[in-house]
Amino acid sequence: IVFCGVHFMAEAADILSAAHQQVVLPNMEAGCSMADMAAPADVHVAWRELGDLFGSTEDLIPVTYMNSAASLKAFCGEHGGVVCTSSNAVKVLEWAFEQGKRVFFFPDQHLGRNTGHAMGIPLEEMTLWNWRLPAGNLGGAAPEQLERSRVILWQGHCSVHQRFTTTQIEEARERHPDVQIVVHPECRYDIVQAADAIGSTAYIANYVAEAPAGSVIGVGTEINLVSRLAKENPDKTVFCLDPVVCPCSTMYRVHPAYLAWVMESLAAGHTVNQIVVPEEVQAHARIALERMLALR
Ligand code: SF4
């Protein structure tokens, strides 16, 4: 499998693929800055501190967004947790709350907060864990705040979705009074509240496709997807809310030249850039992924 995506996706493909299959990533530098915000050492420190505070981690369920390293998925699998996507986050959190009192959500604080809010969890019961602080600081939260929290949010974010602002939405509404605003749940809470619709990439694509001809739609997600949707829906005005095009700096590192290089190497009998997730990591990560797949 030659996987033209980012590192964490190729890892997931390796975990879920059959034993005889190999996964190749054309450029090993194609990563995700959000996934990199949850290093295993920081996660273990946080888990230990929360276990000490609560007396145990029995009632704390780790949930990680798909956009995370295999090691974090494995951590979740090993500790009774699960993986989610932006499409099934509500369903996954409902499952998690059946398993325990609190959820520790990695690595995207915005998806965690927006999902919790959609489920009726008050913002005061969702607390941010600042992993950049030195160990021993409870991620910058007061013990009593953590005690009354139902969701603890890892302080990670997507560099692309974090760029959207409410000013952009206001300007879009001024320019186009009949505009519909649809955004991805990786956007900040205030953006999601100001939008008309919120949903995963598939939801956004569907939203645009099903809008009547002549619709004006402002989209809060990654620019290349928005450009594709604009092209596929010539009877509608589809534009990105962020006028300054700033694509993800890591996601686009799989260029045709890299793809050609790995394909030529494979044709010559050499496997290059193979993604190999260690067996122990695979075993635990598979548990978390399979729990998610069983919820679909
Ligand atoms: S756009 Fe880039 S930083 Fe954001 S989730 Fe995707 S790969 Fe990660």
Side-chain angles (χ1 to χ4, degrees):
I1 302 167
V2 178
F3 206 104
C4 294
V6 293
H7 197 270
F8 70 78
M9 290 178 178
E11 283 185 328
D14 187 47
I15 293 164
L16 296 172
S17 58
H20 68 279
Q21 292 175 307
Q22 295 180 331
V23 176
V24 167
L25 182 64
N27 183 353
M28 290 300 207
E29 300 298 315
C32 167
S33 54
M34 177 163 75
D36 293 344
M37 289 176 193
D42 295 331
V43 171
H44 280 99
V45 165
W47 191 254
R48 204 175 47 240
E49 288 188 24
L50 286 171
D52 290 346
L53 177 72
F54 298 142
S56 112
T57 50
E58 215 170 84
D59 257 342
L60 183 60
I61 309 301
V63 177
T64 187
Y65 189 20
M66 189 68 192
N67 301 19
S68 58
S71 57
L72 183 48
K73 293 185 178 81
F75 177 88
C76 291
E78 196 180 352
H79 295 89
V82 63
V83 176
C84 77
T85 67
S86 53
S87 304
N88 65 16
V90 168
K91 196 177 274 186
V92 168
L93 284 202
E94 283 169 355
W95 174 88
F97 282 119
E98 285 166 15
Q99 319 304 312
K101 206 163 120 187
R102 294 185 184 88
V103 162
F104 199 173
F105 194 92
F106 303 94
D108 184 15
Q109 56 167 305
H110 303 301
L111 178 64
R113 187 179 294 107
N114 290 324
T115 307
H117 178 80
M119 293 170 69
I121 301 172
L123 291 181
E124 317 78 78
E125 292 178 15
M126 295 192 269
T127 301
L128 203 56
W129 184 278
N130 183 354
W131 53 272
R132 290 181 176 86
L133 291 174
N137 281 289
L138 287 176
E144 54 280 8
Q145 173 61 36
L146 287 163
E147 293 274 8
R148 64 171 174 265
S149 293
R150 293 181 65 201
V151 182
I152 298 162
L153 301 161
W154 193 258
Q155 195 171 347
H157 63 265
C158 165
S159 49
V160 171
H161 289 91
Q162 179 120 322
R163 287 181 53 83
F164 295 107
T165 64
T166 48
T167 308
Q168 290 165 353
I169 296 181
E170 284 158 16
E171 284 170 0
R173 291 200 193 283
E174 266 168 36
R175 277 199 317 276
H176 309 280
D178 55 348
V179 71
Q180 290 293 302
I181 305 290
V182 57
V183 303
H184 194 278
E186 286 176 26
C187 292
R188 289 196 324 258
Y189 172 78
D190 53 337
I191 310 304
V192 167
Q193 293 309 301
D196 299 303
I198 168 179
S200 64
T201 301
Y203 174 91
I204 292 173
N206 205 33
Y207 184 93
V208 174
E210 288 189 351
S215 297
V216 183
I217 306 168
V219 185
T221 196
E222 188 276 316
I223 182 66
N224 284 284
L225 175 72
V226 183
S227 303
R228 199 190 84 205
L229 294 177
K231 214 163 152 189
E232 287 171 359
N233 293 272
D235 55 338
K236 300 156 203 173
T237 304
V238 180
F239 64 93
C240 182
L241 288 172
D242 187 356
V244 181
V245 175
C246 185
C248 175
S249 59
T250 50
M251 192 161 76
Y252 295 105
R253 291 190 180 160
V254 177
H255 297 288
Y258 290 109
L259 178 59
W261 170 61
V262 296
M263 297 298 282
E264 281 167 10
S265 300
L266 287 170
H270 313 297
T271 303
V272 290
N273 281 9
Q274 187 180 351
I275 297 292
V276 183
V277 179
E279 191 40 55
E280 198 194 326
V281 174
Q282 283 210 30
H284 287 129
R286 199 177 293 117
I287 293 171
L289 283 163
E290 283 173 353
R291 280 189 188 124
M292 173 185 78
L293 294 172
L295 289 169
R296 287 180 68 198

